[in-house]
Amino acid sequence: MHHTAPDEGEKRSPRTFGDIALNLAPLLEHVRDGCIFVDDEMHVGFLNLVARRDQEAVGIDPDTFPGNSLWDLLGYSATTPARVAVEQACRDHVPTHFTTRGSYGAYWIEVDVSPMECGCLIYYRDATSRSTAAEARAASESELRMTSARLRLLIDEAPLAVIVIDDASSVLHWNPEAEKMFLWKAEEIVGKPLPTVPDDERGGYDRNRTLVRKGGSIKAFPARRQRKDGVILDVQISSSPMRDRAGAVVGAIAMVSDVTAHRKLEMQLRMAQKMEAVGLLAGGVAHDFNNLLTAIKGFTSLLQMTLDESDSASEFLGEINKAADRAAALTAQLLAFSRRQLLRPESLDLNARVRDLDRMLRLLLRDDGELQLELAPDLSQVLADPGQIEQVILNLVVNARDAIHDRDDGVVTIRTSNAQLEAEFAQWGVQDMRGPYVRLDVADNGVGMDRATQARIFDPFFTTKEAGQGTGLGLATVFGIVKQSGGYVWVNSAPGRGSTFSVYLPRAEYAASQSVPAGASRAGGTETILLVEDEEAVRRVARRALEIHGYTILDAADGTTALALAAANDVDLVLSDVMMPGMPGPTLVAELRRRNPKLRVLFMSGHTEEIIRKGLLDPAIPFLAKPFTPTQLAQKVREALDAAVVPKA
């Protein structure tokens, strides 16, 4: 150690400062911190081993320190914070502690200053790792705050309802989409128990909460949740646990999507698939089945004409006819609900149709309830097939009658009104065809239906009646006719609150002529008719029925034979089946019309599915659906002969 003599004016003797330095040096030589002993004027008394090594590391000779000013050697200016702190501690004899950047690089030094009787001991150590950790911690906390803000923004902008709940199922966060979906505002919900779980869903909710509390997750779980206005939504829920720093589950975050519209579309798709399957079956057998029924009904009717009413065989033939009619009606229902029935829409007054059926409907309800009519006086006309619309009304009233069967005060109400469909399509989940409609309601105060029954009410062959009490085709037929007519049907019901079936039919833009064709009141004639039918039994019964009514008949089993007969004879009307092997009826008629543009035409068919799908017939050409009776055939032939000639085939 080198010592310099103190100034003469010092209060302390050189011996005193030197003695202290000599005594401290051995004690501090090997401590792990750097140690520098200075007097009150900041002259260096000694540096320990760590301090000397630090100076050597930066290229300074440590032997130059003793006796010289610490600040001259380190290069600290008078305003350097570290110098100011050390000098103040020594001057005031108050210990101090601080951290400062090193003078020779990007590192940190932690400094302790301990005032002594003749100066100060300055301890220092490398604090770079601790300072870096503090900086990292501060940076991490800042990033965490930024991440939290971004996460909150992401949640609030999410297209799904995001709900955060604590372990007691109280809501912690309720994003804007949750407000939109469930109609509760966040301020109404946060801090309160979750209000969206219906009573009948509580069991499933509790099971899922238990699973999440145990650390499990839920993915796309189907459930039902309730809005503020009481409407029940079909939803899918994905939920994961929220944990604290120790890893304990303290809550859950759930993402909820509204799949109500999707569920309705799925239901409609299943309905369409069922209809398609049964419709294909019905359409496939309808042609042959209707041909058989035509032969049965035709020959039965012809045989009845030969018998006296008192003959017991006449009664038996009547029963055969009734059975054939029931079979024909069943086939018609199958075709109707599958939308393969050939419709002849016209402009009609729905109120008039209801009034025409009034007496029949009251007889239908006589033993079960009362019928009330609430018909709008300014009702627009609808575009629909009159016979099929009557079938819709009858089927709905029969369904209502069954619903009120056990009530003493049963009432069935039929209402009509003009309607404008707009927002309803979003609720129904069906193709959006907004515009003006005519609405027909058939309401009852009967037993009503639960949601499960409503979901299947239009399914073919679905019925809640006992075995043998119904076919399950009534409401399916209503659905098929309404849909094929371009309309909609909806049901509103609840157990014990009755049911209302609402039918929406497109309005007619103009009223069609209701005039009756001349000569429709008579059925016979003397004209020559070319009968073309590939089914022999049908051809025979049709020939015999028309001959009885005075017509001359030329019959053919195929198109080629028919062309030859037409070329060799004067024909007034061609009566042709639509679907025939080789040459279909429309093709045959087109060729006959080319030869004779004034030729009158009447088509007949039991295969309406092909007619509809392929668009084979001009709607203006007369058409007779199989099965038919000889009288119906004769009347339709007379109408076709007396009507104006349609130029198209």
Side-chain angles (χ1 to χ4, degrees):
M1 290 282 185
H2 297 279
H3 303 279
T4 57
D7 294 337
E8 292 180 358
E10 283 184 315
K11 296 179 180 179
R12 302 180 184 85
S13 66
R15 179 71 180 169
T16 303
F17 179 73
D19 289 345
I20 293 174
L22 288 172
N23 291 331
L24 288 176
L27 297 174
L28 301 175
E29 178 69 6
H30 296 288
V31 298
R32 288 184 296 179
D33 295 338
C35 185
I36 303 174
F37 181 54
V38 297
D39 64 11
D40 293 337
E41 301 298 328
M42 295 293 117
H43 294 103
V44 178
F46 73 85
L47 288 79
N48 75 345
L49 180 61
V50 173
R52 294 197 301 275
R53 287 176 179 173
D54 289 342
Q55 298 308 313
E56 289 174 347
V58 297
I60 299 176
D61 183 0
D63 291 336
T64 63
F65 272 72
N68 292 311
S69 171
L70 176 67
W71 307 128
D72 291 342
L73 295 169
L74 296 181
Y76 283 22
S77 68
T79 58
T80 302
R83 176 174 175 174
V84 171
V86 171
E87 289 181 342
Q88 183 175 353
C90 290
R91 183 175 60 251
D92 298 339
H93 285 268
V94 177
T96 190
H97 173 88
F98 61 88
T99 301
T100 183
R101 279 191 174 275
S103 302
Y104 301 99
Y107 61 94
W108 291 86
I109 297 175
E110 189 176 15
V111 180
D112 285 287
V113 180
S114 298
M116 300 185 68
E117 182 181 355
C118 299
C120 291
L121 272 174
I122 303 171
Y123 299 90
Y124 70 89
R125 66 202 63 86
D126 186 356
T128 303
S129 59
R130 285 194 294 275
S131 296
T132 302
E135 286 181 333
R137 184 165 55 253
S140 176
E141 291 174 353
S142 175
E143 180 64 24
L144 183 61
R145 287 192 295 272
M146 293 174 63
T147 300
S148 178
R150 288 195 295 267
L151 181 60
R152 180 174 291 272
L153 178 63
L154 181 63
I155 289 175
D156 287 344
E157 294 295 327
L160 303 177
V162 180
I163 303 169
V164 181
I165 60 174
D166 63 17
D167 198 47
S169 290
S170 293
V171 177
L172 300 177
H173 189 74
W174 185 266
N175 77 335
E177 188 62 26
E179 293 183 337
K180 180 180 176 182
M181 184 180 298
F182 295 108
L183 306 183
W184 278 287
K185 295 295 183 182
E187 55 265 26
E188 299 178 272
I189 292 298
V190 173
K192 298 178 182 178
L194 189 66
T196 60
V197 184
D199 291 340
D200 58 352
E201 290 277 312
R202 180 59 61 179
Y205 173 81
D206 290 341
R207 286 191 295 272
N208 287 338
R209 285 290 294 123
T210 300
L211 174 63
V212 173
R213 283 191 180 101
K214 293 179 179 179
S217 296
I218 299 166
K219 304 296 182 184
F221 181 79
R224 295 167 55 245
R225 291 295 180 262
Q226 182 172 295
R227 290 193 325 203
K228 183 179 181 180
D229 60 1
V231 172
I232 301 297
L233 302 178
D234 290 310
V235 299
Q236 278 190 343
I237 301 174
S238 297
S239 182
S240 299
M242 288 199 315
R243 302 177 184 272
D244 61 15
R245 291 183 178 180
V249 176
V250 294
I253 180 169
M255 290 176 288
V256 186
S257 58
D258 183 358
V259 296
T260 305
H262 181 68
R263 289 280 186 270
K264 290 178 180 177
L265 288 174
E266 284 183 341
M267 181 179 68
Q268 290 163 8
L269 177 60
R270 287 194 296 270
M271 171 71 75
Q273 289 172 334
K274 291 176 182 178
M275 288 187 170
E276 183 66 20
V278 181
L280 286 172
L281 175 62
V285 302
H287 181 258
D288 292 336
F289 194 58
N290 283 331
N291 277 335
L292 291 172
L293 289 174
T294 300
I296 293 171
K297 288 174 63 65
F299 284 120
T300 300
S301 297
L302 292 174
L303 185 56
Q304 281 181 310
M305 294 178 187
T306 66
L307 297 177
D308 188 273
E309 290 186 3
S310 61
D311 194 321
S312 59
S314 180
E315 178 185 351
F316 302 151
L317 292 173
E319 292 301 320
I320 294 173
N321 247 332
K322 290 179 183 178
D325 287 339
R326 287 195 293 272
L330 183 59
T331 305
Q333 281 187 305
L334 288 170
L335 293 172
F337 89 79
S338 59
R339 285 174 265 173
R340 285 173 167 79
Q341 189 79 305
L342 184 62
L343 302 184
R344 294 285 176 146
E346 61 183 62
S347 181
L348 58 90
D349 183 346
L350 190 58
N351 284 348
R353 291 291 164 179
V354 173
R355 292 190 187 99
D356 289 344
L357 293 172
D358 181 74
R359 176 175 170 77
M360 181 190 300
L361 298 177
R362 292 187 187 279
L363 289 173
L364 190 67
L365 294 171
R366 180 175 55 188
D367 297 330
D368 296 291
E370 176 188 354
L371 177 66
Q372 295 181 354
L373 302 183
E374 298 177 8
L375 309 181
D378 58 344
L379 194 68
S380 299
Q381 294 208 323
V382 298
L383 187 64
D385 185 308
Q388 296 301 313
I389 292 305
E390 289 182 359
Q391 185 71 38
V392 166
I393 297 171
L394 283 170
N395 283 1
L396 290 177
V397 172
V398 167
N399 183 75
R401 179 200 63 185
D402 295 338
I404 63 172
H405 179 69
D406 295 327
R407 290 185 65 105
D408 295 331
D409 58 346
V411 177
V412 175
T413 304
I414 300 178
R415 302 186 189 92
T416 60
S417 60
N418 294 317
Q420 184 78 18
L421 291 183
E422 298 290 346
E424 292 83 356
F425 292 101
Q427 175 188 356
W428 296 345
V430 298
Q431 183 181 3
D432 192 331
M433 293 292 289
R434 303 185 180 198
Y437 290 81
V438 171
R439 175 172 173 172
L440 168 71
D441 288 336
V442 177
D444 65 70
N445 61 345
V447 294
M449 295 175 285
D450 57 22
R451 285 173 55 91
T453 302
Q454 291 180 56
R456 299 190 59 194
I457 196 66
F458 296 116
D459 284 8
F461 306 113
F462 173 77
T463 179
T464 57
K465 301 175 185 177
E466 296 179 1
Q469 298 299 310
T471 63
L473 287 175
L475 292 177
T477 300
V478 169
F479 184 89
I481 292 173
V482 172
K483 294 300 292 181
Q484 193 177 353
S485 300
Y488 300 91
V489 58
W490 200 253
V491 61
N492 183 13
S493 183
R497 293 170 51 190
S499 303
T500 298
F501 285 83
S502 298
V503 174
Y504 297 85
L505 296 169
R507 295 187 197 178
E509 294 182 357
Y510 58 89
S513 173
Q514 301 295 322
S515 60
V516 179
S521 59
R522 62 191 183 93
T526 59
E527 291 89 347
T528 298
I529 298 173
L530 176 58
L531 170 62
V532 191
E533 168 62 63
D534 62 306
E535 184 68 32
E536 182 181 0
V538 175
R539 191 169 68 250
R540 286 172 57 197
V541 74
R543 179 185 182 113
R544 183 61 182 140
L546 293 174
E547 286 177 339
I548 289 175
H549 286 83
Y551 296 104
T552 299
I553 305 300
L554 305 172
D555 64 80
D558 55 70
T560 303
T561 304
L563 289 174
L565 287 172
N569 298 274
D570 291 330
V571 176
D572 298 295
L573 177 140
V574 57
L575 171 62
S576 175
D577 192 17
V578 176
M579 298 303 298
M580 296 185 297
M583 184 183 298
T587 305
L588 168 64
V589 168
E591 177 60 26
L592 292 174
R593 279 277 180 83
R594 188 184 64 81
R595 301 178 185 182
N596 180 10
K598 295 183 179 180
L599 181 65
R600 288 171 170 79
V601 177
L602 173 60
F603 279 121
M604 57 182 175
S605 180
H607 206 314
T608 54
E609 187 268 344
E610 284 293 324
I611 298 171
I612 295 169
R613 184 166 60 86
K614 296 183 178 179
L616 295 175
L617 294 186
D618 186 327
I621 294 180
F623 174 81
L624 179 62
K626 298 175 182 176
F628 49 76
T629 65
T631 300
Q632 291 170 337
L633 173 62
Q635 289 176 342
K636 200 69 177 180
V637 165
R638 188 69 260 165
E639 290 176 10
L641 285 167
D642 294 340
V645 177
V646 178
K648 295 181 180 180

